[in-house]
Amino acid sequence: MYQQVLDPVGHSLAWSSLVAAIPILLLFVLLGVLRITAWVASLISLAVAIAVAVLVYGMPIGQTLLAATEGAAFGFFPILWIVINAIWVYQLTVETGHFDVLRRSFSRVSDDQRIQAVLIAFSFGALLEALAGFGTPVAVTSVMLMALGFRPLKAAVLALVANTAPVAFGAMATPILTLAKVTELPADTLGAMVGRQTPLLSVVVPLALVAIVDGRRGVKETWLPALVCGVVFGLGQFATSNFISVPLADVVAALLSAGAVVLLVRVWKPRQTYTEPAVVAGGAADAPTPEFADRVAHPDSRADVVRAYAPYAIIIAVFVVCQISAVKKLLDKATVKFEWPGIDVVSPSGKPLSLNEFTLNLLTTPGTQMLFAGVLTMIALRLTVPRAVKAYGTTLHQLRWAIVTVMAVLALAFVMNLSGQTITLGTWMAAAGGLFALLSPILGWLGVAVTGSDTSANSLFGALQVTAANQAGLSDVLMAASNSSGGVLGKMISPQNLAIAAAAVGMDGKEGDIFRRVVLWSLVFLALLCILSALQASPVLSWMVPS
């Protein structure tokens, strides 16, 4: 048995935190400064994390390596299992030509790329986040944007930056439900508190998207649809999470925001339309051609348009049906839980860790549901089995380096988590006393940056947030919620999501370029949320915290 140690370096929490941070800091330096390919950077950082676990924390080498294998397995299932099948559904639409019909349809709503970015990356991405979560929105919306003529790098950056405000309520509020479980606080109360934080981000994010597309001119000319989208989304998210249903918060907000923008552009047009010529660098989609523009002017048949939207309607229908309690309970019978062989780790207090247990949710995972949606898409698009299998092979080839990266990053995360490196960092930050209200979102941000998952970050630090809040005399609901809200901002710099975005737009090996374009947005949004959390912990905004 291995018992975690919080302060292995000179019995100093500060020095131990400095050493514990080395693997993740190294990963970001390799990606953002030295521009090393993500899968190579991930493997190097994994090796360093293993060395720290064994040489500094004293974790047995055998258990350390087994922790890495558990993380790699989790990286493939459920995370990569979702992404692979999501990209496969997209490949089916490309194979049949219906994706061209879809992008022409979007172009007829608005041919301004700034508005398209808001509609697709933010609203449609939020709907995908609500239903599937994990890397699905980034994978799907980035290729949709590129198909509409966005440059690969810009498409990836837009998809990552947009995938923020909806994340806390993603996959039918799985992060919040997990947070409630580990903190023993009511899920409805936590959801209501998160619903009083992330909607403020929703107002800002669409404005950031139009700025990414077209700089200051983009904000000046299209601030109205961006603001309408953000405000409607924020109000929908707040109202649904506080008064209707926490799991449905993103579904309602996404549909309302998309509808508001579509209605607005029917009566309002930007002063001038913005488009740019696409430069495709080995991606999955082609730049719009003159024939494409001609087809936009002369619409496709209604039957073709229906079939083009069918895959996404099928995805939504499958996920909604699978969320019905009776269906979910039936599917859950195929779930298998077991202790990962050879791992016997307890917390510093001697309690067993939930990380020792591996859950194989064969039918309830969004990946399997996405696979089923893909089969139905085959039927709807009249695609033969050989062509569908060929498309699946194309998907696996496209994602080959992303698969290595995600599995390596999750292996690194599990080594850091099980050895105690992550909890050392969290405990050190939790010792900040009253200042912790300002730092609380950073803890969630760090957890998601390491693991790529708000759910995982809540599992890691949720209970710690409550303990720190009680010690500092702060609201435990506020601090726990700030962990989840802050975590959503780490998603865009998480190596696994960078790898997914790079693979989707055909920029394998250029994850560092994407990282440098998104890291500033991540830090700016995080600073805003830290200030909000501190104000909500003070008399200024304490009225926003549910009693």
Side-chain angles (χ1 to χ4, degrees), residues 81-359:
W81 183 235
I82 299 169
V83 176
I84 290 169
N85 289 315
I87 295 293
W88 176 56
V89 173
Y90 158 74
Q91 289 287 1
L92 294 179
T93 64
V94 172
E95 181 73 18
T96 58
H98 285 90
F99 198 84
D100 287 332
V101 179
L102 183 69
R103 64 176 176 171
R104 288 193 289 267
S105 176
F106 271 113
S107 293
R108 282 191 292 274
V109 173
S110 174
D111 54 359
D112 190 301
Q113 289 188 330
R114 298 164 298 190
I115 297 173
Q116 290 172 352
V118 170
L119 267 176
I120 297 171
F122 188 76
S123 295
F124 187 64
L127 184 60
L128 291 176
E129 180 66 39
L131 298 171
F134 297 94
T136 307
V138 172
V140 175
T141 60
S142 58
V143 292
M144 290 183 72
L145 290 171
M146 201 168 67
L148 285 165
F150 287 78
R151 297 172 186 267
L153 177 60
K154 186 174 285 188
V157 169
L158 288 167
L160 287 165
V161 173
N163 192 218
T164 47
V167 169
F169 295 98
M172 292 296 173
T174 297
I176 292 174
L177 297 177
T178 302
L179 184 63
K181 182 178 179 180
V182 299
T183 60
E184 298 182 352
L185 294 171
D188 288 343
T189 305
L190 287 170
M193 185 65 245
V194 174
R196 301 176 191 196
Q197 291 178 322
T198 56
L200 297 176
L201 285 174
S202 305
V203 177
V204 181
V205 172
L207 291 168
L209 297 181
V210 297
I212 291 169
V213 175
D214 191 28
R216 290 183 180 179
R217 183 180 61 182
V219 176
K220 183 178 179 181
E221 294 183 358
T222 54
W223 64 268
L224 181 59
L227 191 61
V228 166
C229 181
V231 169
V232 171
F233 186 94
L235 290 174
Q237 198 179 56
F238 163 74
T240 307
S241 62
N242 276 264
F243 305 114
I244 302 174
S245 167
V246 172
L248 291 177
D250 277 351
V251 175
V252 173
L255 294 174
L256 287 177
S257 64
V261 174
V262 170
L263 290 175
L264 176 66
V265 297
R266 288 189 174 184
V267 297
W268 173 92
K269 300 291 181 186
R271 188 165 20 180
Q272 56 184 355
T273 299
Y274 176 84
T275 57
E276 64 179 16
V279 179
V280 177
D286 296 321
T289 61
E291 291 79 9
F292 172 82
D294 182 65
R295 290 298 297 274
V296 171
H298 302 86
D300 301 280
S301 69
R302 182 172 296 181
D304 281 338
V305 172
V306 169
R307 277 195 290 271
Y309 280 94
Y312 301 98
I314 289 169
I315 290 170
I316 293 170
V318 168
F319 281 112
V320 168
V321 169
C322 289
Q323 291 299 323
I324 297 172
S325 297
V327 176
K328 194 171 184 179
K329 188 175 180 180
L330 181 65
L331 296 176
D332 201 41
K333 291 182 179 180
T335 298
V336 179
K337 296 183 179 181
F338 58 91
E339 296 291 320
W340 194 261
I343 294 182
D344 187 9
V345 180
V346 295
S347 70
S349 61
K351 296 181 180 179
L353 297 178
S354 60
L355 285 171
N356 295 348
E357 184 179 74
F358 192 87
T359 301

Side-chain angles (χ1 to χ4, degrees), residues 421-507:
Q421 295 172 60
T422 308
I423 203 72
T424 293
L425 290 166
T427 305
W428 175 64
M429 292 181 63
L435 189 62
F436 186 65
L438 185 67
L439 301 178
S440 175
I442 298 176
L443 202 53
W445 176 85
L446 176 67
V448 176
V450 173
T451 65
S453 165
D454 200 36
T455 300
S456 298
N458 287 343
S459 297
L460 279 176
F461 294 135
L464 185 68
Q465 293 269 13
V466 170
T467 301
N470 293 331
Q471 290 175 352
L474 300 167
S475 165
D476 51 3
V477 170
L478 172 60
M479 294 301 96
S482 294
N483 189 84
S484 192
S485 299
V488 308
L489 305 174
K491 191 105 174 184
M492 69 179 83
I493 62 166
S494 166
Q496 80 171 49
N497 285 295
L498 290 171
I500 290 167
V505 300
M507 291 185 64

Side-chain angles (χ1 to χ4, degrees), residues 5-62:
V5 183
L6 290 179
D7 52 359
V9 181
H11 300 292
S12 167
L13 200 56
W15 283 108
S16 299
S17 296
L18 188 62
V19 174
I22 290 174
I24 191 64
L25 290 176
L26 175 63
L27 179 57
F28 289 135
V29 169
L30 292 175
L31 281 175
V33 180
L34 301 181
R35 303 190 182 190
I36 292 178
T37 303
W39 69 270
V40 176
S42 301
L43 290 175
I44 293 172
S45 300
L46 171 60
V48 172
I50 291 172
V52 171
V54 174
L55 301 176
V56 179
Y57 279 77
M59 188 176 188
I61 182 66

